[in-house]
Amino acid sequence: MDFISLIKNNFPKDAKIKGMIYFMIMIVLTHLLWKLVLDGDPNSHYISILGKDITPVFFQISLFVAKIAWWSLNNLLGQDFILKGVNIFFGEGKYVTIIWACSAVKQCYMFICLILFYPKVAWKKKVLFAFSGCIILAIFNILRIDIVTLGAKKDLSYFEPLHSFTQYLFYVVIFFLWVFWLEKTTKENK
């Protein structure tokens, strides 16, 4: 018996279990590919792709995200923050900086790959769902930045735990979007 037959004969037949295995494999693969291709300091603005500096592109994305987060903090949450570039100030010399890692680009890339490489679904549906999912991830990212900023305003020691916790919540959101996609496509394919 060859290797492919061994996998086919022992791989689960249930579409939902296959979907979960696919999810785990794709999340790991997309994360590894990101780490192999991109080099970025998670505490600064510098980022490169295959050695080519793409910091200016990501800086513009960070600036855009900072503007939206600042707007939502001030206009939706009734706060009084000051925006200077990618820094959101909330006190005398106290601020958070929105860097490339805060842009949600990595999470959107992972989600797009997850959806677009999923077999047996029309491309139009894949593109529409990937786009919709990225909008949800972008909104979640602004909410995440707002929560971290409000926590840091209350007490700077809240920054790190809130930042780490909400960072991992991204993958929970991606997972629930994936479960929704899997349920929808499994029902449609029956």
Side-chain angles (χ1 to χ4, degrees), residues 89-141:
F89 287 83
F90 47 82
E92 196 63 40
K94 297 177 184 175
Y95 61 93
V96 294
T97 301
I98 310 304
I99 62 168
W100 67 267
C102 305
S103 66
V105 170
K106 179 183 178 186
Q107 290 78 9
C108 287
Y109 143 77
M110 294 172 88
F111 183 72
I112 289 168
C113 290
L114 190 64
I115 300 303
L116 292 186
F117 290 114
Y118 189 70
K120 300 178 185 174
V121 177
W123 276 99
K124 186 176 179 181
K125 288 181 182 180
K126 289 180 184 184
V127 170
L128 183 62
F129 193 76
F131 179 74
S132 301
C134 286
I135 289 173
I136 291 168
L137 291 173
I139 291 168
F140 173 78
N141 188 46

Short mmCIF file of all heavy atoms in Angstrom, two decimals, residues 89-141:
data_model
loop_
_atom_site.label_atom_id
_atom_site.label_comp_id
_atom_site.label_asym_id
_atom_site.label_seq_id
_atom_site.Cartn_x
_atom_site.Cartn_y
_atom_site.Cartn_z
N PHE A 89 -2.51 59.39 21.66
CA PHE A 89 -2.15 59.90 22.98
C PHE A 89 -3.37 59.97 23.89
O PHE A 89 -4.45 60.35 23.46
CB PHE A 89 -1.53 61.31 22.87
CG PHE A 89 -0.14 61.31 22.31
CD1 PHE A 89 0.07 61.27 20.95
CD2 PHE A 89 0.95 61.35 23.16
CE1 PHE A 89 1.35 61.26 20.43
CE2 PHE A 89 2.24 61.35 22.66
CZ PHE A 89 2.44 61.30 21.28
N PHE A 90 -3.15 59.63 25.16
CA PHE A 90 -4.24 59.67 26.13
C PHE A 90 -3.81 60.26 27.46
O PHE A 90 -4.52 60.16 28.45
CB PHE A 90 -4.84 58.28 26.36
CG PHE A 90 -3.82 57.20 26.59
CD1 PHE A 90 -3.26 56.99 27.84
CD2 PHE A 90 -3.43 56.39 25.53
CE1 PHE A 90 -2.33 56.00 28.04
CE2 PHE A 90 -2.51 55.39 25.73
CZ PHE A 90 -1.95 55.19 26.98
N GLY A 91 -2.70 60.87 27.50
CA GLY A 91 -2.22 61.49 28.73
C GLY A 91 -0.89 62.15 28.48
O GLY A 91 -0.36 62.11 27.38
N GLU A 92 -0.37 62.75 29.50
CA GLU A 92 0.93 63.42 29.40
C GLU A 92 2.01 62.40 29.06
O GLU A 92 2.45 61.64 29.91
CB GLU A 92 1.24 64.13 30.72
CG GLU A 92 2.34 65.15 30.64
CD GLU A 92 2.00 66.30 29.71
OE1 GLU A 92 0.85 66.75 29.70
OE2 GLU A 92 2.92 66.73 28.98
N GLY A 93 2.41 62.36 27.80
CA GLY A 93 3.45 61.44 27.36
C GLY A 93 3.03 59.99 27.28
O GLY A 93 3.86 59.12 27.08
N LYS A 94 1.74 59.70 27.42
CA LYS A 94 1.25 58.33 27.36
C LYS A 94 0.52 58.11 26.04
O LYS A 94 -0.33 58.91 25.66
CB LYS A 94 0.31 58.04 28.53
CG LYS A 94 0.97 58.13 29.88
CD LYS A 94 -0.05 57.91 30.97
CE LYS A 94 0.59 58.10 32.34
NZ LYS A 94 -0.40 58.01 33.41
N TYR A 95 0.88 57.03 25.37
CA TYR A 95 0.27 56.76 24.06
C TYR A 95 0.47 55.30 23.67
O TYR A 95 1.27 54.58 24.27
CB TYR A 95 0.88 57.66 22.99
CG TYR A 95 2.37 57.48 22.80
CD1 TYR A 95 2.86 56.59 21.84
CD2 TYR A 95 3.29 58.18 23.58
CE1 TYR A 95 4.23 56.43 21.67
CE2 TYR A 95 4.65 58.02 23.42
CZ TYR A 95 5.11 57.13 22.46
OH TYR A 95 6.46 56.96 22.30
N VAL A 96 -0.29 54.89 22.68
CA VAL A 96 -0.07 53.60 22.03
C VAL A 96 0.31 53.90 20.59
O VAL A 96 -0.14 54.89 20.01
CB VAL A 96 -1.32 52.67 22.09
CG1 VAL A 96 -1.64 52.25 23.51
CG2 VAL A 96 -2.52 53.28 21.41
N THR A 97 1.14 53.06 20.04
CA THR A 97 1.59 53.21 18.66
C THR A 97 1.03 52.07 17.83
O THR A 97 1.14 50.90 18.22
CB THR A 97 3.14 53.20 18.59
OG1 THR A 97 3.64 54.26 19.41
CG2 THR A 97 3.62 53.38 17.16
N ILE A 98 0.45 52.41 16.70
CA ILE A 98 -0.08 51.41 15.79
C ILE A 98 1.03 51.09 14.77
O ILE A 98 1.39 51.93 13.96
CB ILE A 98 -1.34 51.92 15.06
CG1 ILE A 98 -2.35 52.49 16.05
CG2 ILE A 98 -1.95 50.83 14.20
CD1 ILE A 98 -2.80 51.55 17.15
N ILE A 99 1.58 49.88 14.86
CA ILE A 99 2.64 49.46 13.95
C ILE A 99 2.08 48.43 12.96
O ILE A 99 0.90 48.08 13.02
CB ILE A 99 3.85 48.88 14.73
CG1 ILE A 99 3.45 47.64 15.53
CG2 ILE A 99 4.46 49.94 15.63
CD1 ILE A 99 4.61 46.86 16.08
N TRP A 100 2.92 47.93 12.08
CA TRP A 100 2.46 47.00 11.03
C TRP A 100 1.77 45.77 11.62
O TRP A 100 0.81 45.26 11.05
CB TRP A 100 3.63 46.58 10.13
CG TRP A 100 4.67 45.74 10.84
CD1 TRP A 100 5.80 46.20 11.45
CD2 TRP A 100 4.65 44.33 11.02
NE1 TRP A 100 6.49 45.16 12.02
CE2 TRP A 100 5.80 43.99 11.76
CE3 TRP A 100 3.80 43.32 10.63
CZ2 TRP A 100 6.11 42.68 12.11
CZ3 TRP A 100 4.10 42.02 10.98
CH2 TRP A 100 5.25 41.72 11.72
N ALA A 101 2.23 45.30 12.77
CA ALA A 101 1.66 44.10 13.38
C ALA A 101 0.23 44.36 13.89
O ALA A 101 -0.50 43.41 14.17
CB ALA A 101 2.56 43.60 14.50
N CYS A 102 -0.15 45.63 14.02
CA CYS A 102 -1.50 46.00 14.49
C CYS A 102 -2.47 46.20 13.33
O CYS A 102 -3.58 46.65 13.55
CB CYS A 102 -1.44 47.30 15.29
SG CYS A 102 -0.29 47.30 16.66
N SER A 103 -2.06 45.91 12.12
CA SER A 103 -2.85 46.26 10.94
C SER A 103 -3.90 45.22 10.56
O SER A 103 -4.77 45.51 9.75
CB SER A 103 -1.91 46.47 9.74
OG SER A 103 -1.29 45.23 9.41
N ALA A 104 -3.80 44.00 11.08
CA ALA A 104 -4.68 42.87 10.75
C ALA A 104 -4.39 42.32 9.35
O ALA A 104 -5.13 41.46 8.87
CB ALA A 104 -6.15 43.21 10.90
N VAL A 105 -3.33 42.75 8.71
CA VAL A 105 -2.99 42.25 7.38
C VAL A 105 -2.67 40.76 7.44
O VAL A 105 -3.14 39.98 6.60
CB VAL A 105 -1.83 43.05 6.76
CG1 VAL A 105 -1.31 42.37 5.50
CG2 VAL A 105 -2.27 44.47 6.47
N LYS A 106 -1.90 40.35 8.44
CA LYS A 106 -1.55 38.92 8.55
C LYS A 106 -2.80 38.07 8.74
O LYS A 106 -2.96 37.03 8.10
CB LYS A 106 -0.58 38.68 9.71
CG LYS A 106 -0.23 37.21 9.88
CD LYS A 106 0.67 36.97 11.07
CE LYS A 106 0.96 35.49 11.22
NZ LYS A 106 1.71 35.21 12.45
N GLN A 107 -3.69 38.49 9.60
CA GLN A 107 -4.90 37.71 9.87
C GLN A 107 -5.79 37.65 8.64
O GLN A 107 -6.37 36.60 8.34
CB GLN A 107 -5.64 38.28 11.08
CG GLN A 107 -4.93 38.08 12.39
CD GLN A 107 -3.78 39.05 12.65
OE1 GLN A 107 -3.57 40.02 11.92
NE2 GLN A 107 -3.03 38.78 13.70
N CYS A 108 -5.88 38.75 7.90
CA CYS A 108 -6.68 38.75 6.67
C CYS A 108 -6.04 37.84 5.62
O CYS A 108 -6.75 37.09 4.93
CB CYS A 108 -6.85 40.16 6.14
SG CYS A 108 -8.01 41.15 7.12
N TYR A 109 -4.72 37.90 5.50
CA TYR A 109 -4.00 37.00 4.58
C TYR A 109 -4.29 35.54 4.92
O TYR A 109 -4.60 34.73 4.04
CB TYR A 109 -2.50 37.31 4.62
CG TYR A 109 -1.60 36.12 4.52
CD1 TYR A 109 -1.37 35.49 3.29
CD2 TYR A 109 -0.97 35.59 5.65
CE1 TYR A 109 -0.54 34.38 3.20
CE2 TYR A 109 -0.14 34.50 5.57
CZ TYR A 109 0.06 33.89 4.35
OH TYR A 109 0.89 32.80 4.26
N MET A 110 -4.21 35.19 6.19
CA MET A 110 -4.46 33.81 6.62
C MET A 110 -5.89 33.40 6.30
O MET A 110 -6.14 32.30 5.80
CB MET A 110 -4.17 33.65 8.11
CG MET A 110 -2.71 33.84 8.47
SD MET A 110 -2.42 33.88 10.24
CE MET A 110 -2.21 32.14 10.56
N PHE A 111 -6.84 34.29 6.56
CA PHE A 111 -8.24 33.99 6.32
C PHE A 111 -8.51 33.84 4.82
O PHE A 111 -9.22 32.93 4.39
CB PHE A 111 -9.13 35.08 6.93
CG PHE A 111 -10.58 34.78 6.77
CD1 PHE A 111 -11.18 33.78 7.52
CD2 PHE A 111 -11.36 35.48 5.86
CE1 PHE A 111 -12.53 33.48 7.37
CE2 PHE A 111 -12.70 35.20 5.71
CZ PHE A 111 -13.29 34.19 6.46
N ILE A 112 -7.95 34.73 4.02
CA ILE A 112 -8.13 34.65 2.57
C ILE A 112 -7.62 33.32 2.04
O ILE A 112 -8.29 32.65 1.24
CB ILE A 112 -7.45 35.84 1.86
CG1 ILE A 112 -8.23 37.12 2.15
CG2 ILE A 112 -7.32 35.60 0.37
CD1 ILE A 112 -7.51 38.40 1.75
N CYS A 113 -6.43 32.92 2.48
CA CYS A 113 -5.87 31.62 2.05
C CYS A 113 -6.77 30.47 2.49
O CYS A 113 -7.02 29.53 1.71
CB CYS A 113 -4.46 31.42 2.62
SG CYS A 113 -3.23 32.49 1.88
N LEU A 114 -7.25 30.54 3.70
CA LEU A 114 -8.13 29.51 4.25
C LEU A 114 -9.36 29.31 3.36
O LEU A 114 -9.74 28.19 3.05
CB LEU A 114 -8.54 29.93 5.66
CG LEU A 114 -9.26 28.97 6.56
CD1 LEU A 114 -8.38 27.77 6.88
CD2 LEU A 114 -9.66 29.67 7.85
N ILE A 115 -9.95 30.40 2.93
CA ILE A 115 -11.17 30.32 2.12
C ILE A 115 -10.86 30.01 0.65
O ILE A 115 -11.46 29.12 0.06
CB ILE A 115 -11.98 31.64 2.23
CG1 ILE A 115 -12.40 31.90 3.68
CG2 ILE A 115 -13.20 31.62 1.31
CD1 ILE A 115 -13.20 30.80 4.34
N LEU A 116 -9.91 30.73 0.06
CA LEU A 116 -9.67 30.57 -1.37
C LEU A 116 -9.13 29.19 -1.76
O LEU A 116 -9.40 28.71 -2.86
CB LEU A 116 -8.72 31.66 -1.88
CG LEU A 116 -9.29 33.07 -1.88
CD1 LEU A 116 -8.31 34.04 -2.54
CD2 LEU A 116 -10.65 33.16 -2.55
N PHE A 117 -8.40 28.54 -0.87
CA PHE A 117 -7.86 27.23 -1.20
C PHE A 117 -8.80 26.08 -0.82
O PHE A 117 -8.49 24.91 -1.05
CB PHE A 117 -6.48 27.02 -0.56
CG PHE A 117 -5.42 27.87 -1.18
CD1 PHE A 117 -4.81 28.88 -0.45
CD2 PHE A 117 -5.05 27.69 -2.50
CE1 PHE A 117 -3.84 29.68 -1.03
CE2 PHE A 117 -4.08 28.48 -3.09
CZ PHE A 117 -3.48 29.49 -2.35
N TYR A 118 -9.94 26.42 -0.25
CA TYR A 118 -10.91 25.38 0.12
C TYR A 118 -11.53 24.81 -1.16
O TYR A 118 -12.02 25.55 -2.00
CB TYR A 118 -11.99 25.96 1.04
CG TYR A 118 -12.88 24.90 1.64
CD1 TYR A 118 -12.39 24.02 2.59
CD2 TYR A 118 -14.20 24.78 1.24
CE1 TYR A 118 -13.21 23.04 3.13
CE2 TYR A 118 -15.03 23.81 1.78
CZ TYR A 118 -14.51 22.94 2.73
OH TYR A 118 -15.32 21.97 3.27
N PRO A 119 -11.51 23.48 -1.31
CA PRO A 119 -11.98 22.87 -2.57
C PRO A 119 -13.51 22.81 -2.69
O PRO A 119 -14.23 22.95 -1.71
CB PRO A 119 -11.39 21.46 -2.50
CG PRO A 119 -11.27 21.17 -1.04
CD PRO A 119 -10.98 22.49 -0.38
N LYS A 120 -13.94 22.62 -3.90
CA LYS A 120 -15.33 22.31 -4.25
C LYS A 120 -16.34 23.40 -3.93
O LYS A 120 -17.49 23.13 -3.64
CB LYS A 120 -15.77 21.00 -3.59
CG LYS A 120 -14.94 19.81 -4.00
CD LYS A 120 -15.40 18.57 -3.28
CE LYS A 120 -14.47 17.40 -3.62
NZ LYS A 120 -14.76 16.22 -2.87
N VAL A 121 -15.91 24.65 -3.97
CA VAL A 121 -16.82 25.77 -3.79
C VAL A 121 -16.51 26.77 -4.91
O VAL A 121 -15.36 26.98 -5.25
CB VAL A 121 -16.62 26.45 -2.40
CG1 VAL A 121 -17.52 27.65 -2.25
CG2 VAL A 121 -16.89 25.46 -1.28
N ALA A 122 -17.56 27.36 -5.46
CA ALA A 122 -17.41 28.32 -6.56
C ALA A 122 -16.54 29.50 -6.14
O ALA A 122 -16.64 29.98 -5.01
CB ALA A 122 -18.79 28.80 -7.01
N TRP A 123 -15.71 29.96 -7.07
CA TRP A 123 -14.79 31.06 -6.78
C TRP A 123 -15.52 32.33 -6.37
O TRP A 123 -15.05 33.07 -5.51
CB TRP A 123 -13.90 31.34 -8.01
CG TRP A 123 -12.73 30.42 -8.02
CD1 TRP A 123 -12.60 29.28 -8.74
CD2 TRP A 123 -11.55 30.54 -7.23
NE1 TRP A 123 -11.39 28.68 -8.46
CE2 TRP A 123 -10.72 29.45 -7.53
CE3 TRP A 123 -11.11 31.47 -6.30
CZ2 TRP A 123 -9.49 29.26 -6.94
CZ3 TRP A 123 -9.87 31.29 -5.71
CH2 TRP A 123 -9.08 30.18 -6.02
N LYS A 124 -16.66 32.59 -6.99
CA LYS A 124 -17.42 33.79 -6.65
C LYS A 124 -17.80 33.78 -5.17
O LYS A 124 -17.68 34.79 -4.48
CB LYS A 124 -18.67 33.88 -7.53
CG LYS A 124 -19.44 35.16 -7.37
CD LYS A 124 -20.61 35.20 -8.34
CE LYS A 124 -21.40 36.47 -8.17
NZ LYS A 124 -22.54 36.54 -9.07
N LYS A 125 -18.25 32.65 -4.66
CA LYS A 125 -18.62 32.53 -3.25
C LYS A 125 -17.39 32.68 -2.35
O LYS A 125 -17.45 33.30 -1.30
CB LYS A 125 -19.29 31.19 -2.98
CG LYS A 125 -20.69 31.10 -3.53
CD LYS A 125 -21.31 29.77 -3.22
CE LYS A 125 -22.70 29.69 -3.83
NZ LYS A 125 -23.35 28.42 -3.56
N LYS A 126 -16.28 32.09 -2.80
CA LYS A 126 -15.04 32.19 -2.02
C LYS A 126 -14.59 33.64 -1.88
O LYS A 126 -14.26 34.09 -0.78
CB LYS A 126 -13.92 31.37 -2.67
CG LYS A 126 -14.08 29.89 -2.58
CD LYS A 126 -12.89 29.22 -3.27
CE LYS A 126 -13.01 27.73 -3.31
NZ LYS A 126 -11.80 27.11 -3.89
N VAL A 127 -14.57 34.35 -2.99
CA VAL A 127 -14.10 35.74 -2.99
C VAL A 127 -15.03 36.61 -2.13
O VAL A 127 -14.56 37.41 -1.32
CB VAL A 127 -13.99 36.29 -4.43
CG1 VAL A 127 -13.74 37.79 -4.44
CG2 VAL A 127 -12.88 35.56 -5.18
N LEU A 128 -16.34 36.42 -2.29
CA LEU A 128 -17.31 37.20 -1.51
C LEU A 128 -17.16 36.94 -0.02
O LEU A 128 -17.13 37.87 0.78
CB LEU A 128 -18.73 36.87 -1.98
CG LEU A 128 -19.84 37.67 -1.31
CD1 LEU A 128 -19.70 39.16 -1.60
CD2 LEU A 128 -21.20 37.17 -1.77
N PHE A 129 -17.01 35.67 0.36
CA PHE A 129 -16.89 35.34 1.78
C PHE A 129 -15.54 35.80 2.33
O PHE A 129 -15.46 36.29 3.46
CB PHE A 129 -17.09 33.85 2.04
CG PHE A 129 -17.26 33.54 3.50
CD1 PHE A 129 -18.46 33.80 4.13
CD2 PHE A 129 -16.21 33.02 4.24
CE1 PHE A 129 -18.63 33.54 5.49
CE2 PHE A 129 -16.37 32.75 5.60
CZ PHE A 129 -17.58 33.02 6.22
N ALA A 130 -14.48 35.66 1.55
CA ALA A 130 -13.15 36.11 2.00
C ALA A 130 -13.18 37.63 2.23
O ALA A 130 -12.67 38.11 3.25
CB ALA A 130 -12.08 35.74 0.98
N PHE A 131 -13.79 38.37 1.31
CA PHE A 131 -13.90 39.82 1.45
C PHE A 131 -14.73 40.18 2.68
O PHE A 131 -14.33 41.03 3.49
CB PHE A 131 -14.51 40.42 0.18
CG PHE A 131 -14.68 41.91 0.23
CD1 PHE A 131 -13.59 42.75 0.11
CD2 PHE A 131 -15.93 42.47 0.42
CE1 PHE A 131 -13.73 44.13 0.18
CE2 PHE A 131 -16.10 43.85 0.48
CZ PHE A 131 -14.99 44.68 0.36
N SER A 132 -15.87 39.53 2.85
CA SER A 132 -16.74 39.80 4.00
C SER A 132 -16.03 39.47 5.31
O SER A 132 -16.13 40.21 6.29
CB SER A 132 -18.03 38.96 3.91
OG SER A 132 -18.72 39.26 2.73
N GLY A 133 -15.32 38.35 5.33
CA GLY A 133 -14.58 37.96 6.53
C GLY A 133 -13.49 38.96 6.88
O GLY A 133 -13.27 39.27 8.05
N CYS A 134 -12.83 39.50 5.86
CA CYS A 134 -11.78 40.51 6.11
C CYS A 134 -12.37 41.79 6.68
O CYS A 134 -11.75 42.45 7.52
CB CYS A 134 -10.98 40.78 4.84
SG CYS A 134 -9.85 39.43 4.45
N ILE A 135 -13.56 42.16 6.27
CA ILE A 135 -14.23 43.33 6.84
C ILE A 135 -14.51 43.07 8.32
O ILE A 135 -14.26 43.94 9.16
CB ILE A 135 -15.52 43.67 6.06
CG1 ILE A 135 -15.15 44.23 4.69
CG2 ILE A 135 -16.37 44.67 6.84
CD1 ILE A 135 -16.32 44.44 3.76
N ILE A 136 -14.99 41.88 8.64
CA ILE A 136 -15.25 41.53 10.04
C ILE A 136 -13.95 41.55 10.84
O ILE A 136 -13.90 42.07 11.96
CB ILE A 136 -15.95 40.16 10.14
CG1 ILE A 136 -17.38 40.28 9.59
CG2 ILE A 136 -15.95 39.63 11.58
CD1 ILE A 136 -18.08 38.95 9.36
N LEU A 137 -12.87 41.02 10.28
CA LEU A 137 -11.58 41.03 10.96
C LEU A 137 -11.07 42.46 11.16
O LEU A 137 -10.49 42.77 12.20
CB LEU A 137 -10.56 40.18 10.20
CG LEU A 137 -10.82 38.68 10.21
CD1 LEU A 137 -9.85 37.96 9.27
CD2 LEU A 137 -10.74 38.11 11.62
N ALA A 138 -11.28 43.32 10.18
CA ALA A 138 -10.84 44.72 10.31
C ALA A 138 -11.63 45.43 11.41
O ALA A 138 -11.05 46.19 12.20
CB ALA A 138 -11.01 45.45 8.97
N ILE A 139 -12.93 45.18 11.48
CA ILE A 139 -13.75 45.77 12.54
C ILE A 139 -13.31 45.24 13.90
O ILE A 139 -13.16 46.01 14.86
CB ILE A 139 -15.25 45.50 12.28
CG1 ILE A 139 -15.72 46.29 11.06
CG2 ILE A 139 -16.09 45.85 13.52
CD1 ILE A 139 -17.09 45.89 10.54
N PHE A 140 -13.06 43.93 13.97
CA PHE A 140 -12.57 43.36 15.22
C PHE A 140 -11.24 44.00 15.61
O PHE A 140 -10.99 44.29 16.78
CB PHE A 140 -12.42 41.84 15.12
CG PHE A 140 -11.76 41.25 16.33
CD1 PHE A 140 -12.49 41.07 17.50
CD2 PHE A 140 -10.42 40.92 16.33
CE1 PHE A 140 -11.89 40.57 18.64
CE2 PHE A 140 -9.81 40.41 17.46
CZ PHE A 140 -10.55 40.24 18.62
N ASN A 141 -10.38 44.24 14.64
CA ASN A 141 -9.07 44.83 14.92
C ASN A 141 -9.22 46.24 15.52
O ASN A 141 -8.52 46.58 16.47
CB ASN A 141 -8.22 44.89 13.65
CG ASN A 141 -6.81 45.31 13.94
OD1 ASN A 141 -6.17 44.82 14.87
ND2 ASN A 141 -6.30 46.23 13.16
#
